Amino acid sequence: MIELLETLSHPDTRITCLSERILMYTLEGGCTVPIGVNTKLKSDSLWMRDLVSKSTEERKDLVDELGVSVVTKLFDHGADKS
């Protein structure tokens, strides 16, 4: 059975998945701690983007900041001009 399952194993996916799980475990993440992580393996480098938030207010602030940043960039490219 193990041999059969090994044929389905994808090394890059295993590395990225285990990296994300280690991050979650180390930060004591779970259902009550909002943690997001996106991991990519490129060549010999592991890239992780993560977001950890402790409160609804902190998440709201982050979303507000991101929204303002996106709108500012759109305006910089002429989105406010008819």
Side-chain angles (χ1 to χ4, degrees):
M1 183 68 151
I2 292 175
E3 290 177 13
L4 178 61
L5 292 174
E6 281 295 323
T7 62
L8 300 175
S9 178
H10 185 257
D12 290 358
T13 302
R14 179 183 287 181
I15 289 169
T16 57
C17 198
L18 288 175
S19 299
E20 291 176 3
R21 288 182 182 180
I22 290 168
L23 175 84
M24 297 285 288
Y25 177 78
T26 302
L27 296 176
E28 299 177 2
C31 296
T32 59
V33 179
I35 298 174
V37 62
N38 181 310
T39 307
K40 294 181 181 178
L41 189 60
K42 293 183 181 181
S43 300
D44 291 335
S45 297
L46 183 69
W47 295 83
M48 296 182 84
R49 293 186 106 174
D50 57 80
L51 168 68
V52 180
S53 180
K54 293 186 180 185
S55 71
T56 303
E57 192 60 34
E58 287 175 358
R59 287 195 306 269
K60 181 187 173 303
D61 290 345
L62 179 63
V63 170
D64 290 348
E65 183 181 323
L66 178 61
V68 169
S69 174
V70 169
V71 170
T72 300
K73 288 183 182 187
L74 288 170
F75 283 174
D76 288 347
H77 286 90
D80 60 336
K81 312 244 185 314
S82 299

